[in-house]
Amino acid sequence: MGPWSETSLLNRKNQEEKMKRLLWAFLLVLALSMALPARAQNPNYDVGPVWRVTYYHIKPGQGEAFWKDFRENLKPVYDAVKAEGMITDYKVWTNLTTDRPDDWDVAVGLLFPKWAALDQIDAKAATISAKHYGSRDAMLDAAKKRNDIRDVVMSKLAHEVMPK
C-alpha cells in the first residue's frame, strides 16, 4: 500500500475533519471566554450611554449673544444630529453656584448611545453643520466668532451607569 491508497486518503480526510472540528471548538470557547468578562464588567453597576459634557464661561456682556447663537445655530444642528441618530439626546445646564470669576456658566451635554458613536460623529456632524450654515467657510467663521462670546472651561466624558 502506497501513500495514496484508499485507506490512507480516508485517514487523512478523517484527521482533517477532526482538526476542523477542533479548530471550531477552540474558536467557540475563545469567543465565549471573551464575552464573559464583558458581561460581568462591574458588580456594582451596568454601563449605559456616554455623555460628552462641555463647560463654557460666557464672557462679560455676552450672555444674550451666547443664547442667540445657541438658539439660531447650535440647537438646530443638535436637533438635526439627533434626528440622524448620531446622538441620543442633548442637555443644557446653567451653573447657579460659581466659585470664581472664570468658573463655568453653561454646560452642554451630548448623549451618545455607545463609545463607537464618538468616533463617527465628527465627519457626519460637520456635513450637517455646513448644510445649516450654508457652507463650510460660514460654519468655520461662526465657530471663530464663538471664541469672542465664550471660553471652553473643560470638556469631559462621562459614562452613565445604572447601579445594581
Side-chain angles (χ1 to χ4, degrees), residues 27-42:
L27 291 174
L28 178 64
V29 169
L30 181 65
L32 289 175
S33 67
M34 290 164 69
L36 288 175
R39 176 87 171 112
Q41 286 184 359
N42 193 302

Side-chain angles (χ1 to χ4, degrees), residues 64-138:
E64 286 302 314
F66 174 88
W67 288 109
K68 181 179 188 290
D69 179 55
F70 190 89
R71 253 188 334 274
E72 293 176 0
N73 297 308
L74 297 177
K75 185 176 182 333
V77 170
Y78 293 154
D79 288 337
V81 169
K82 183 178 174 182
E84 290 291 321
M86 290 180 244
I87 62 172
T88 306
D89 201 4
Y90 65 93
K91 302 275 185 208
V92 180
W93 299 273
T94 58
N95 187 0
L96 301 177
T97 57
T98 57
D99 296 325
R100 57 189 187 285
D102 62 342
D103 204 352
W104 68 276
D105 300 300
V106 176
V108 177
L110 303 178
L111 182 62
F112 296 88
K114 54 188 174 187
W115 283 105
L118 285 162
D119 297 333
Q120 301 165 357
I121 193 162
D122 286 340
K124 293 177 181 178
T127 302
I128 290 171
S129 190
K131 183 178 176 184
H132 169 76
Y133 287 99
S135 73
R136 187 177 187 289
D137 288 337

